[in-house]
Amino acid sequence: MTVRVQAEDFDVAAELAALQARCPNAGAVASFIGLVRGNEEGQAVKAMTLEHYPGMTEKALAEIVAEARRRWELAGTAVVHRVGRLLPGERIVLVAVASGHRDHAFAACQFIMDYLKTQAPFWKKEELAAGSRWVEAKDSDRAAAARWTEPGSAA
Amino acid sequence: MIQVRYFARLREALGRDGEELRWGVEIAQVAGLTRHLLARGGVWERELGPGARYRVAVNRQLAGPEAAIRDGDEVAYFPPVTGG
């Protein structure tokens, strides 16, 4: 299990290769990469600054991964999240999950992202032409995380 | 003493990233500490008062208003998270 918070970019191929090397019996790797959007509600985004709570962030991410491992049969996971000032098109986050079968890998990857968005202490501030503003938490993100606790969910 | 920390929009609105407070029974629960901060009025009331959206963590674990605070603990106030 890899969990890292860092300012520098990550090499997707190297991260996936490292995960695969740790999980020689995995039959599937599913991954998600989050990027800085160039446009927010019709306004051009100049940059995005990510702040976090050092110490709590790593703990929260490790707990989310541990919960995913309780729910699905996973061979390994990698979560890398960047902080600091990022430009449109830059990578923000990588979640990669290795498993024996693709359904577990897909579901766990989505679960980790949905929980990360509502539980891990990161905050985004966007720079627009009109000035800077803190991004507000979205109801759709809360709903995405909540569906994993509903009866009959994919969990 | 307890350490209180503020993050992101709250840190900017409150004009500080943290402070040290003397522990006492009146702040031995999150709800009590929040009441203590609200009593400062002004921006504190706006940011932490009824209707304000924020989360609290005690020792880096999300915590509700009934959570206990012990001498030496670290308590953080921050807006709903927006990472990923």
Side-chain angles (χ1 to χ4, degrees), chain A:
Chain A
M1 175 177 111
T2 296
V3 169
R4 289 201 323 271
V5 179
Q6 61 189 42
E8 61 272 21
D9 193 14
F10 47 81
D11 179 335
V12 176
E15 298 292 345
L16 295 183
L19 174 62
Q20 229 182 301
R22 288 200 305 274
C23 311
N25 295 319
V29 172
S31 64
F32 172 86
I33 298 158
L35 308 170
V36 179
R37 262 191 296 275
N39 214 286
E40 221 35 87
E41 294 156 17
Q43 297 188 70
V45 175
K46 290 200 287 189
M48 177 86 86
T49 300
L50 275 132
E51 175 175 332
H52 78 124
Y53 182 173
M56 178 170 171
T57 317
E58 296 81 354
K59 187 166 169 272
L61 292 174
E63 283 168 9
I64 293 166
V65 169
E67 179 58 30
R69 298 188 82 124
R70 274 192 291 275
R71 293 180 182 219
W72 294 279
E73 288 164 29
L74 305 183
T77 59
V79 178
V80 184
H81 202 299
R82 294 178 67 195
V83 292
R85 189 169 181 271
L86 305 178
L87 301 176
E90 282 200 75
R91 285 178 279 270
I92 303 173
V93 61
L94 168 73
V95 173
V97 177
S99 177
H101 299 281
R102 72 178 184 284
D103 51 349
H104 287 250
F106 274 131
C109 187
Q110 190 159 19
F111 170 87
I112 292 170
M113 262 319 292
D114 286 348
Y115 267 56
L116 184 156
K117 283 206 157 262
T118 55
Q119 308 288 320
F122 292 100
W123 302 276
K124 288 190 184 118
K125 191 178 196 180
E126 25 179 57
E127 290 172 40
L128 308 169
S132 294
R133 67 175 185 195
W134 289 99
V135 174
E136 294 285 328
K138 293 188 183 79
D139 288 335
S140 57
D141 286 335
R142 272 196 296 282
R147 69 190 154 152
W148 296 102
T149 59
E150 285 162 9
S153 74

